[in-house]
Structure formats: C-alpha cells, structure tokens
Amino acid sequence: MVDAHATAHSRRIAAEDGVIAALGIRVDRAEPGYAAVRMTVRRDMVNGAGVTHGGMVFALADTAIALASNDTAEAALVAGADVVFLASSAEGDELVAIAEVRAVSGRTGVYDARVEESGRVIAEIRGRVRRPRESP
C-alpha cells in the first residue's frame, strides 16, 4: 500500500491482507472514516455472462469499508451489509470504491460505499461495522 494519507493501522491491515494482494486492490486513501480503493477487473473476476462477478464488486467495497472503519488498534469487522447492483462492469474496467462513515453509536458503525467505473455507479453498499469491545 502506498498511501501517504493512511493511518499506521490501515497500512498494516492492507499489507497483511492476502485478499487485497490477490485481487490487486490498490489503496488511494485510507483515513479514519474514509477510504478509496481501486481494482482492475481481470479475466478471472468475470462470470459466465462476461460481467464482473458480484462477489468481486462487494470485495472491493468491503475493503474500502474495512479501511475506513479501522482507526483503532483492534480490528473492527464488517458485521453485515446490503448491496444494490445498479450496472455491470467487465474485464479491463477499473473499479473504484469509496467508503465513508455515516454514524457511530457505541461499538456499531454504519458506512456507505459506492463502487464506480469511469464515474458510472456500479453498486451502492451500506455496511454495518462492529468495533471491538473497549479495554477496561
């Protein structure tokens, strides 16, 4: 991860995440409450219909939410999400996911992510994040 704006914790998460490496996800920005990541769709990421597999689109958004929500020393985890696919993408497209915090109450956070390709919205995701229990 080469991002001067990333927190030390998000840098460590990205560096140690095998999924980020395997999917070729690149981090544009990661800071408390906000993250932007990108991925070029490869042949092995498209389904039999020739469009980007929904799981790949979600994995990109999930990565953005994870980086935006991990601003403490202990890992916050996505506990659930709702995905709306609005358009398709294909091999060679560069997808960008932007995640932003919407609300945090106690240990629960709500984050919205948008996945785009050349300014066209591919998917909207609302993720629920569970933060670790605070130390006594």
Side-chain angles (χ1 to χ4, degrees), residues 16-42:
E16 295 176 3
D17 191 316
V19 173
I20 289 175
L23 296 180
I25 295 173
R26 299 171 312 281
V27 180
D28 290 342
R29 191 173 189 115
E31 57 191 50
Y34 179 90
V37 297
R38 66 183 59 240
M39 174 182 78
T40 302
V41 178
R42 302 183 314 237

Side-chain angles (χ1 to χ4, degrees), residues 44-104:
D44 61 343
M45 296 175 171
V46 299
N47 62 26
V51 300
T52 308
H53 190 285
M56 298 293 108
V57 174
F58 178 75
L60 183 65
D62 180 64
T63 299
I65 293 169
L67 292 173
S69 65
N70 273 282
D71 54 0
T72 65
E74 296 182 47
L77 301 171
V78 175
D82 297 307
V83 182
V84 178
F85 296 104
L86 299 166
S88 62
S89 61
E91 181 180 356
D93 287 346
E94 183 171 63
L95 303 181
V96 176
I98 297 168
E100 296 180 276
V101 65
R102 291 295 172 235
V104 176

Side-chain angles (χ1 to χ4, degrees), residues 5 11 41 43 51 54 71 79 81 94-95 115 129 131 133 135:
H5 303 284
R11 276 193 192 97
V41 178
R43 175 72 191 116
V51 300
D71 54 0
E94 183 171 63
L95 303 181
V115 177
V129 171
R131 296 180 178 278
R133 192 174 311 276
S135 302

